[in-house]
Amino acid sequence: MQLSNLIQQCMHEEIVETTGCTDPGVVAYAAAKAASLLQGKITKVTVTVSNNVYKNGVMVGIPGAGATGMELAAALGVLLRSNADRALSVLEGVTQENCAAAKELVSAGMVSVHPREDCPDPLYVHAVVCAGEARGEAVVAHDYVMLVQLLQDGRNIFSRAIPQDTGSLVDQLLGHKMEEIYRCIEATPAEEFAFLLDYAQVNQDSLEKAKAILPPEDRLPAEDGLPFPYSVIHKASEDTFCLAKARMVGLKLPVIAVTGSHYDRAFPLPL
């Protein structure tokens, strides 16, 4: 594969739109995909997650819900099953009404989320959703948006092997020298990277909203008078921290984030 194509593919694969933190987001996504296979009233939701997903998501805010909890994320995913193809943006559909309904499901003991020690991948979510006797299952693994299996009443609808990092696009890219990558980007027509400006605008809009909501203590202090390039580095860190905090506390804002199997969690794309 040509280096220019490899760079483009890595960007499109590793940069995604998210609403809220990715760990409750991936639980909601898996639950939504499982529920999308069913008709009728949901009667039970059981989600098994890897320890990494559980520890990263158990105490972060659910966007628009004013609450935390993996069970709430799973319940909302089930209620938002029509949004299942929105992946990590599935929770953009949270409203006061469906949030109240999700909390009722949790309170009734119909939703459970449990960590599992021996998951086949550090990033692993297996959602089982029942509507009476009907049963839908979805597995997301290796990457926050990588669906690896769908089952309907035990019948395989879709499956793919959980990939190994060795030989991945990112690994292929890391096999090139930094200077080689830099020269390739320099030689690539600017319009091929125009999508990054659209991404940056999404984050800029969300940043302004986050700054208007978050108290000063939830933001990195500004550092005036720093020489270049440290002024730019600090500004990027300041803005990225603000967007990350907005996601952690559960503000319902779209954020373009760097994700993928090479990251313990997703980080907002610096502006």
Side-chain angles (χ1 to χ4, degrees):
M1 183 185 299
Q2 289 187 342
L3 180 56
S4 58
N5 292 336
L6 180 59
I7 292 170
Q8 286 280 338
Q9 285 195 37
C10 282
M11 285 185 169
H12 286 292
E13 207 174 81
E14 299 288 313
I15 301 173
V16 299
E17 181 176 333
T18 71
T19 302
C21 281
T22 43
D23 295 285
V26 72
V27 168
Y29 172 44
K33 291 298 288 187
S36 71
L37 301 172
L38 305 175
Q39 301 290 329
K41 185 178 179 180
I42 302 301
T43 54
K44 187 177 181 181
V45 182
T46 305
V47 184
T48 303
V49 300
S50 58
N51 285 337
N52 277 359
V53 171
Y54 192 82
K55 71 178 178 63
N56 288 344
V58 68
M59 292 302 293
V60 298
I62 308 300
T68 62
M70 302 287 261
E71 289 81 8
L72 180 59
L76 281 165
V78 165
L79 296 176
L80 293 166
R81 53 183 154 177
S82 61
N83 273 9
D85 290 337
R86 293 289 291 146
L88 293 181
S89 292
V90 65
L91 292 175
E92 69 183 358
V94 173
T95 64
Q96 289 185 346
E97 290 75 18
N98 57 36
C99 187
K103 289 177 179 178
E104 287 182 8
L105 289 176
V106 175
S107 297
M110 297 168 61
V111 185
S112 61
V113 179
H114 303 287
R116 176 181 145 194
E117 291 281 350
D118 59 341
C119 289
D121 194 272
L123 199 168
Y124 183 86
V125 180
H126 179 194
V128 180
V129 180
C130 298
E133 296 298 317
R135 177 186 176 106
E137 299 180 54
V139 178
V140 178
H142 190 72
D143 187 303
Y144 285 102
V145 294
M146 185 172 288
L147 183 70
V148 298
Q149 189 170 41
L150 285 175
L151 296 172
Q152 186 175 38
D153 295 326
R155 180 169 52 91
N156 189 58
I157 301 296
F158 168 82
S159 64
R160 62 184 295 184
I162 298 175
Q164 303 299 314
D165 279 335
T166 303
S168 70
L169 290 177
V170 172
D171 281 311
Q172 292 177 46
L173 185 61
L174 293 174
H176 293 269
K177 294 181 178 179
M178 183 61 69
E179 181 179 0
E180 187 183 1
I181 296 172
Y182 178 78
R183 296 301 179 196
C184 182
I185 291 173
E186 268 196 324
T188 302
E191 56 267 22
E192 292 192 21
F193 297 108
F195 67 94
L196 292 174
L197 296 177
D198 296 331
Y199 287 171
Q201 189 60 57
V202 170
N203 279 2
Q204 186 63 48
D205 293 344
S206 291
L207 176 66
E208 296 305 317
K209 293 174 182 176
K211 285 182 174 179
I213 297 171
L214 293 174
E217 58 267 24
D218 280 347
R219 306 201 300 266
L220 285 181
E223 291 285 351
D224 297 324
L226 289 174
F228 181 85
Y230 304 106
S231 57
V232 175
I233 293 171
H234 185 81
K235 180 63 166 61
S237 299
E238 183 184 338
D239 291 347
T240 302
F241 181 88
C242 185
L243 283 177
K245 188 66 177 183
R247 297 167 73 221
M248 290 287 288
V249 301
L251 297 186
K252 195 170 73 168
L253 298 172
V255 174
I256 307 299
V258 181
T259 182
S261 60
H262 283 65
Y263 304 92
D264 184 49
R265 64 182 72 188
F267 296 91
L269 183 70
L271 306 175

